[in-house]
Amino acid sequence: MNSQIIFWSLLYLISINDLKEHKIPNVLLLLLIIFQSLNLIATQSPVLNYLLGGVCMFAASMCLFFVKAMSPGDVKLLGAIGFCVGLDNLVGSSTWIILSSGLIGVVFMIYNFSFLGINNPMKLINEPKLFTRINQGGKDTNPWRYGDKLTMPFAPSVTVGLALFYYFN
């Protein structure tokens, strides 16, 4: 029970930091990996299963990074999540993460439409207001990567997806 509280607290801190600053601190990811390693040692679980899960998730998200669909912090986060869930649960957790990302993305887009004052959703394809950065107060560390395109924090979607995965499985 205590291990679950620590795990979800770390994910909560990562999500809040990503929402506020559009950055995922390496220290929190390292704490998540260290915590999971200690948990694996305490429960005498097969470590290779979890290492392969982390490597597979990291490799898949690195491909998304190369096509500019994901930030470097998100790649590291998904690698750490892959290590936490293991190879056996990788497909199920990835499915829930993708579904929650889509749902949260739609809500985030609707919020930005209302915030930017876009009235007609049919004219969204060429709307220049969508290519402006909403969060001017956040510390954007990669302006060269996305320019003025609208971005969405990904860590909250990962946290919601993992919560759904553990709830339904």
Side-chain angles (χ1 to χ4, degrees):
M1 181 67 181
N2 289 334
S3 62
Q4 294 294 321
I5 292 172
I6 295 170
F7 176 75
W8 290 106
S9 296
L10 285 171
L11 282 178
Y12 177 76
L13 288 173
I14 290 169
S15 297
I16 294 299
N17 204 354
D18 193 21
L19 278 170
K20 286 176 73 175
E21 299 184 22
H22 289 279
K23 189 175 182 181
I24 299 173
N26 292 335
V27 173
L28 292 176
L29 294 175
L30 188 61
L31 283 173
L32 190 64
I33 291 171
I34 290 171
F35 167 73
Q36 180 63 17
S37 300
L38 293 174
N39 197 18
L40 290 175
I41 292 169
T43 59
Q44 298 177 349
S45 299
V47 177
L48 184 62
N49 176 30
Y50 293 91
L51 282 174
L52 287 175
V55 168
C56 288
M57 190 72 113
F58 184 81
S61 55
M62 188 61 106
C63 292
L64 291 173
F65 170 75
F66 287 136
V67 296
K68 296 185 178 183
M70 192 171 283
S71 296
D74 300 332
V75 173
K76 293 181 286 185
L77 172 64
L78 286 179
I81 293 301
F83 179 70
C84 290
V85 299
L87 191 61
D88 296 339
N89 295 322
L90 202 61
V91 174
S93 62
S94 298
T95 303
W96 283 106
I97 289 171
I98 290 169
L99 288 173
S100 68
S101 298
L103 180 65
I104 291 172
V106 167
V107 171
F108 189 74
M109 188 171 57
I110 290 170
Y111 166 75
N112 285 312
F113 291 163
S114 65
F115 183 76
L116 293 171
I118 298 172
N119 301 355
N120 188 357
M122 300 306 288
K123 297 181 181 179
L124 295 177
I125 296 172
N126 295 324
E127 182 62 48
K129 290 180 182 178
L130 285 178
F131 296 109
T132 60
R133 199 168 293 283
I134 295 296
N135 190 3
Q136 297 294 334
K139 297 178 181 86
D140 188 12
T141 57
N142 288 328
W144 57 271
R145 184 159 175 82
Y146 300 107
D148 288 336
K149 292 181 182 173
L150 188 63
T151 58
M152 179 185 94
F154 187 60
S157 301
V158 172
T159 303
V160 170
L162 278 179
L164 290 171
F165 169 72
Y166 284 119
Y167 180 76
F168 288 115
N169 288 332

